[in-house]
Amino acid sequence: MTKKATTMAENTLPSVAKPPDRNGEVKPSIYMDNHATTPVDPRVLEEMLPYFSEKFGNAASHSHSFGWVAEEAVETARRRTAKLIGARPEEIVFTSGATESDNLAIKGVAEMYRGKGNHIITAVSEHRGVLDTCRRLEKQGFRITYLPVGKDGLIDLAELCSMIGRGTILVTIMAANNETGVLQPIEEIGRLCRERGVLFHSDATQAVGKMPIHVRSHSLDLLSISAHKLYGPKGVGALFVGHTDAPVEIAPIIDGGGHERGMRSGTLNVPGIVGLGKACALAGEEMPQESCRLAGLRNRLRDKILSRLEGVSINGSMEHRLPGNLNLSFAAIEGESLLMGIPEIALSSGAACNATSPEPSYVLRALGIGDDLAQSSIRFGLGRFNTEAEVDYVAGRVIETVARMRQLSAT
Ligand SMILES: *Cc1c(COP(=O)(O)O)cnc(C)c1O
């Protein structure tokens, strides 16, 4: 861990003794927005590079070694991806990312099981990849139940249970929320769905590689993964499509050459898939130590800020939360303005990432947080390359900036 920390730290860590130059345009030099995306781990990049150059073959070319080399690399990546979630290689379908995986899972089940029913259950705090897909299906005559979440961000299992009816074909609930880091009880949800004979999909984009996910013990039928949230490249992901007694059947949304067993046509993104595989292998190896390290850093950040500032609230359950996530609201402070006061730190505010309308986050609103506090929220997303020195620097800058902003508005 020290080795990679130094590789990245060389260009990203501003020494605490020498604060970044704050004249003129400031480039963020501390990256703490790892729920939006993560940097590609240098070890992942290294493994990908040959597949852009000498090993450029098409994995579907069966008549020469260029194709065989590419195909072998894809199958290695498939095994590695499957292993991280306790699946079998043949249950992995490579896609362009989690948005596509969510679309494929939900639309694919909707089309395939329409004869059985037209009801799908999800939750209000899901990612847009799930919510907007459900909205589209609604226009096509499907009935969608959007479960509410409590102040802690969790769905109510009894409520989920009561919503499952004869026409219910799918429950789609995320494993970890991308804003609050809140973990849904996917094991219990899976058990419930299995008992009631309903398929269970989980958008596990934020959870995979950060916490143990096991598709069998969590009774998952479908699960979405994205490489760029776990130190792999952008534009590649996977959908787990379970095959226990019978295969889960999904209709493709992209038709063509019949790649990925007909579920996702199109020439495979070999370098990207190699990167996803390597990222999964690394995440699996390092997860136990890394999740402890991240939880330690996250708690350090929280304790420093809470001990020095009044009027700070934690959004969502602290107990059921990803180790690297902290989502705070600072009373009487606008999140966007706070971020402008600390331009050398890359963080995200609770206003939707939609530049034209600074709407408060629908995820925070779903927790019953008022617009004011939702507007005053900041998401800290700690990742593999963050260090304790960075945490201390960020805590110091947040404390000092919030205190100054409050003083200014009081006078
Ligand atoms: C980032 C994210 C997605 C989208 O993944 P892409 O690979 O960028 O399409 C979907 N769901 C969640 C929970 C995410 O955090």
Side-chain angles (χ1 to χ4, degrees):
M1 210 152 297
T2 34
K3 194 184 90 243
K4 65 194 169 177
T6 44
T7 7
M8 285 301 290
E10 262 145 34
N11 44 21
T12 56
L13 173 67
S15 96
V16 176
K18 188 167 63 79
D21 182 5
R22 266 185 270 133
N23 299 325
E25 182 83 4
V26 187
K27 284 212 212 84
S29 53
I30 293 183
Y31 187 77
M32 214 172 264
D33 198 15
N34 287 283
H35 298 303
T37 193
T38 57
V40 175
D41 188 299
R43 296 167 292 179
V44 169
L45 178 63
E46 193 183 307
E47 196 138 326
M48 290 171 68
L49 286 175
Y51 296 92
F52 287 104
S53 49
E54 72 265 29
K55 299 182 180 177
F56 63 86
N58 184 329
S61 297
H62 293 306
S63 55
H64 50 70
S65 66
F66 291 92
W68 304 331
V69 166
E71 190 187 13
E72 194 178 305
V74 167
E75 294 317 313
T76 300
R78 200 184 298 282
R79 279 194 299 277
R80 287 169 153 181
T81 306
K83 184 166 181 234
L84 182 61
I85 56 170
R88 290 193 304 275
E90 61 274 21
E91 294 174 309
I92 300 297
V93 174
F94 292 118
T95 65
S96 68
T99 301
E100 187 189 326
S101 298
D102 289 344
N103 273 264
L104 178 56
I106 299 167
K107 290 175 180 167
V109 164
E111 184 178 330
M112 218 62 182
Y113 293 83
R114 184 149 207 179
K116 201 175 158 241
N118 75 337
H119 180 224
I120 293 172
I121 303 175
T122 186
V124 290
S125 54
E126 291 292 308
H127 190 271
R128 295 276 303 272
V130 166
L131 287 181
D132 290 6
T133 302
C134 287
R135 292 248 183 267
R136 182 172 300 280
L137 289 176
E138 220 162 13
K139 287 189 200 132
Q140 297 168 5
F142 284 86
R143 207 157 52 78
I144 315 285
T145 298
Y146 299 91
L147 292 173
V149 293
K151 187 129 191 65
D152 54 8
L154 294 164
I155 64 153
D156 179 356
L157 284 169
E159 191 163 14
L160 167 62
C161 192
S162 73
M163 290 296 173
I164 297 178
R166 200 174 296 160
T168 309
I169 51 174
L170 179 71
V171 169
T172 171
I173 302 285
M174 71 201 320
N177 187 271
N178 45 298
E179 291 189 34
T180 58
V182 167
L183 310 177
Q184 297 293 350
I186 55 168
E187 194 167 348
E188 287 83 349
I189 298 170
R191 199 177 308 135
L192 188 62
C193 291
R194 207 40 66 87
E195 278 167 21
R196 305 287 299 268
V198 175
L199 293 174
F200 176 35
H201 165 250
S202 185
D203 177 345
T205 311
Q206 294 288 344
V208 169
K210 318 289 167 58
M211 54 181 272
I213 294 272
H214 197 281
V215 293
R216 308 272 170 242
S217 53
H218 297 160
S219 312
L220 281 151
D221 296 299
L222 298 142
L223 173 135
S224 303
I225 301 178
S226 181
H228 77 100
K229 303 289 175 76
L230 71 152
Y231 312 96
K234 293 168 185 61
V236 60
L239 178 67
F240 156 79
V241 183
H243 186 157
T244 325
D245 303 325
V248 174
E249 292 189 80
I250 53 168
I253 51 181
I254 298 178
D255 295 303
H259 308 75
E260 298 299 89
R261 286 163 294 128
M263 282 183 265
R264 206 285 191 172
S265 287
T267 301
L268 296 184
N269 169 4
V270 178
I273 289 168
V274 166
L276 169 60
K278 180 66 175 178
C280 288
L282 291 173
E285 282 161 27
E286 296 175 0
M287 192 188 300
Q289 316 87 289
E290 181 60 3
S291 63
C292 284
R293 190 188 73 95
L294 281 179
L297 289 181
R298 188 269 314 276
N299 293 346
R300 184 182 177 94
L301 181 64
R302 175 198 61 192
D303 296 346
K304 275 181 182 269
I305 293 174
L306 291 182
S307 68
R308 294 282 304 281
L309 289 174
E310 301 284 312
V312 184
S313 44
I314 300 173
N315 298 317
S317 167
M318 201 64 221
E319 187 192 341
H320 305 279
R321 182 185 288 260
L322 282 174
N325 177 282
L326 185 63
N327 191 310
L328 299 177
S329 282
F330 299 86
I333 297 286
E334 222 186 313
E336 286 291 308
S337 317
L338 171 54
L339 293 190
M340 276 191 272
I342 46 174
E344 77 281 23
I345 305 168
L347 290 167
S348 165
S349 82
C353 30
N354 181 345
T356 50
S357 70
E359 286 279 301
S361 141
Y362 68 87
V363 172
L364 296 184
R365 275 181 168 172
L367 309 190
I369 294 165
D371 282 3
D372 278 4
L373 273 183
Q375 297 269 26
S376 78
S377 73
I378 300 288
R379 175 184 70 183
F380 301 86
L382 290 148
R384 185 177 286 171
F385 301 109
N386 288 123
T387 61
E388 191 172 280
E390 287 182 328
V391 164
D392 292 349
Y393 179 83
V394 170
R397 290 283 287 136
V398 167
I399 292 162
E400 138 202 325
T401 310
V402 167
R404 184 167 40 81
M405 287 170 72
R406 283 181 178 164
Q407 220 164 31
L408 279 176
S409 60
T411 54

